[in-house]
Amino acid sequence: MKRMLTLVLTILLALPIAANAADLLVAQAANFMPAMQEIIPAFKTATGLEVQATYTSTGKLYAQITHGAPFDIFLAADERRPQKLFTDGLAEKSFVYAKGKIVFWSLKKEFGSAPWQEAVKNPALHKIAIANIETAPYGTAAMKALKKEHLWESVEPELVYAQSIAQTFQYAATGAADAGFCAYSSVFTTEGRKGTFTVVKEAPPVIQAACILKSSARKDTAQKFVKFLSGPEVKKIKNKYGYE
Amino acid sequence: MDFVPLILSAKLAVATTLLIPLVAAPTAYILAFGRFRGKSLIDAIVSLPMVLPPTVLGFGLLILMAPNGPLGGIWKDATGERMVFSFSGILLASLIYNLPFAVQPMRAAFEKLDIRLLENSAVLGLSASATFFRVVLPNSLPGLAAAAMLVFAHSLGEFGVILMVGGSIPGSTKVASIAIYEAVEAMRYQDALFMSLAIIPVSFLALLAINRLNGKRR
């Protein structure tokens, strides 16, 4: 037993710990993760440069950046926060890198395939997941669609609020909620394919902006990555995941 | 500032503290005095919520408590309501999460009891339940109080599990920790600060009380 333990410990200690070899650190809003995970290897093939991304909510990344997190680029899920970083002198001018769409997604066919306005009125549908309408841009956009269709008042008691668009999808995908206002990108995941969806055309596109941070010591690399983001290769990846 | 999340957190903490002895006391009793096979297995299961990451526990509960899940299904048949995204749901999650924090101090208190007290009560003809209520309980009060304080403080600060099964519904599942998290995300740092300032002293006082109780016991 003791020898076994020594052996395991030796192996563990001998394992090389991946050094922080990244050429670029990206703070990435979580909804864009499926696309980003294809963009990073494509960028590496094109330039040989290594990108490392942290995926979490825009609000958390913003709070981390204003408190000195060592990111080079911030790819947000909204326009507001990169702009605020710019006006506060913490970042270069922001630019739009993607426009996201909202879908009404459900595990149950009868909710996901009907027009969403009909589905939310269905008495068999009790709980609908939506991202936080104040902090998550996808939640705000979904709320706008509901208000535009004069459905907000009747649907509000049925809403459950998730902290991020990823958690919104989690509520719908586990069946905890009957349906959810999700990001188009989540439809392309393994779990996403198990359900049905309709595009919520009434929701304004979620304009996702990015910026290079002033504190970055690798602005040249950052510029290269920004340029790559607007290239044809990335456009194809973005379209694949439902972004414009 | 919105006081509803703070009140809701207090409600959850009080309800958890009041209800948890029903499960924790028998479990602690069995673990302290029981002699049977599989005891260490029960011990490990009860302690599991203490070491699991809250997101893991929360995700597991979300699946169990969803309307099509085993637990949520039974609940729905019985009450006609959904277990997730309800106060009952976060209360159950809180009870599961807090179980080890109640069982461990209770068990320690039971194990410190002088075995001769129990032998005497048996010799004098007291039934098992009478022994429990008239001998075991009064003699392990400081341990029980410490368990209560620990559970109360933990319920106040609970976040990860509730984040998963709660759904942040104002007035029903949006407790203080969630409201604070949302305030930070929304860049309302002042609100976050004030709500935190309301929770920290209460939790701190609870910890001071636990320390005093533990001091007394020694």
Side-chain angles (χ1 to χ4, degrees):
Chain A
M1 187 65 202
K2 214 170 178 183
R3 221 189 284 169
M4 193 68 182
L5 207 69
T6 320
L7 184 71
V8 171
L9 277 177
T10 318
I11 293 171
L12 277 178
L13 288 174
L15 280 175
I17 292 163
N20 192 357
D23 298 300
L24 204 63
L25 271 182
V26 173
Q28 174 67 66
N31 77 81
F32 201 65
M33 181 158 87
M36 196 64 175
Q37 280 176 337
E38 278 197 40
I39 293 172
I40 290 172
F43 182 65
K44 184 159 191 210
T45 316
T47 62
L49 293 165
E50 195 86 52
V51 174
Q52 221 169 56
T54 297
Y55 305 99
T56 181
S57 74
T58 301
K60 205 181 295 150
L61 291 170
Y62 174 86
Q64 288 172 349
I65 288 165
T66 52
H67 290 91
F71 296 116
D72 298 300
I73 303 183
F74 176 34
L75 299 170
D78 64 0
E79 273 188 298
R80 191 160 64 110
R81 273 167 270 223
Q83 260 165 21
K84 187 146 190 343
L85 286 177
F86 172 66
T87 47
D88 290 345
L90 292 170
E92 320 248 315
K93 209 162 166 34
S94 66
F95 61 93
V96 175
Y97 70 95
K99 284 179 190 167
K101 280 186 225 141
I102 297 205
V103 294
F104 189 75
W105 188 95
S106 176
L107 262 181
K108 291 191 182 130
K109 215 173 181 168
E110 67 261 41
F111 301 141
S113 49
W116 69 273
Q117 293 93 332
E118 294 303 313
V120 296
K121 282 187 224 154
N122 190 330
L125 193 153
H126 299 294
K127 285 281 176 234
I128 306 168
I130 187 170
N132 188 305
I133 53 172
E134 185 191 5
T135 61
Y138 279 85
T140 317
M143 176 187 73
K144 281 182 184 160
L146 281 166
K147 285 197 168 156
K148 197 170 166 187
E149 298 291 293
H150 304 289
L151 289 165
W152 178 254
E153 241 87 284
S154 59
V155 170
E156 205 188 351
E158 301 184 337
L159 295 178
V160 286
Y161 301 93
Q163 295 311 316
S164 66
I165 196 65
Q167 204 191 10
T168 313
F169 180 69
Q170 187 186 85
Y171 281 161
T174 52
D178 299 312
F181 288 100
C182 303
Y184 203 157
S185 56
S186 50
V187 168
F188 300 94
T189 57
T190 324
E191 287 297 314
R193 289 195 187 95
K194 289 181 189 162
T196 50
F197 69 93
T198 44
V199 176
V200 179
K201 292 193 197 78
E202 294 74 13
V206 179
I207 297 173
Q208 303 197 188
C211 55
I212 297 176
L213 299 176
K214 282 241 168 93
S215 60
S216 167
R218 302 174 279 203
K219 292 220 177 65
D220 290 347
T221 320
Q223 287 291 359
K224 262 185 215 159
F225 188 69
V226 166
K227 205 176 154 207
F228 187 75
L229 274 180
S230 59
E233 204 171 338
V234 169
K235 191 167 193 280
K236 222 186 282 169
I237 297 172
K238 281 196 290 194
N239 288 344
K240 190 170 139 193
Y241 289 100
Y243 294 98
E244 271 169 46
Chain B
M1 193 174 90
D2 185 8
F3 285 97
V4 176
L6 287 170
I7 294 166
L8 203 56
S9 270
K11 197 174 138 190
L12 181 70
V14 170
T16 309
T17 313
L18 289 179
L19 287 175
I20 208 156
L22 296 179
V23 205
T27 315
Y29 193 79
I30 289 168
L31 289 175
F33 299 119
R35 298 276 173 271
F36 56 93
R37 280 172 71 95
K39 191 173 131 179
S40 57
L41 194 71
I42 294 182
D43 191 8
I45 291 171
V46 170
S47 306
L48 204 55
M50 194 150 74
V51 291
L52 279 182
T55 34
V56 173
L57 186 64
F59 188 57
L61 287 176
L62 185 68
I63 291 170
L64 280 179
M65 288 159 69
N68 50 8
L71 219 61
I74 296 168
W75 179 263
K76 200 170 181 194
D77 291 341
T79 65
E81 293 191 15
R82 192 172 297 239
M83 193 177 229
V84 279
F85 313 131
S86 70
F87 185 76
S88 322
I90 60 170
L91 179 58
L92 181 76
S94 174
L95 285 170
I96 293 170
Y97 171 75
N98 275 298
L99 194 59
F101 297 102
V103 169
Q104 304 293 9
M106 280 186 185
R107 181 186 177 178
F110 291 161
E111 280 172 345
K112 277 201 184 121
L113 283 178
D114 192 341
I115 196 79
R116 277 168 299 184
L117 275 177
L118 302 178
E119 285 166 0
N120 283 343
S121 100
V123 168
L124 293 172
L126 256 68
S127 70
S129 66
T131 307
F132 181 74
F133 286 107
R134 293 171 64 181
V135 180
V136 176
L137 273 191
N139 280 295
S140 41
L141 273 182
L144 298 185
M149 287 294 178
L150 201 56
V151 167
F152 184 82
H154 253 118
S155 316
L156 265 192
E158 196 170 330
F159 174 68
V161 177
I162 294 183
L163 184 71
M164 286 276 180
V165 299
S168 188
I169 297 162
S172 127
T173 63
K174 187 174 170 179
V175 295
S177 59
I178 307 277
I180 292 168
Y181 181 83
E182 287 180 0
V184 172
E185 292 269 297
M187 300 191 277
R188 288 186 280 108
Y189 297 155
Q190 284 284 325
D191 283 5
L193 184 68
F194 283 133
M195 275 187 278
S196 308
L197 286 179
I199 284 193
I200 294 166
V202 180
S203 306
F204 187 69
L205 285 177
L207 288 177
L208 275 185
I210 295 170
N211 282 343
R212 276 197 76 167
L213 288 167
N214 282 337
K216 252 187 203 158
R217 202 162 40 168
R218 256 175 235 127

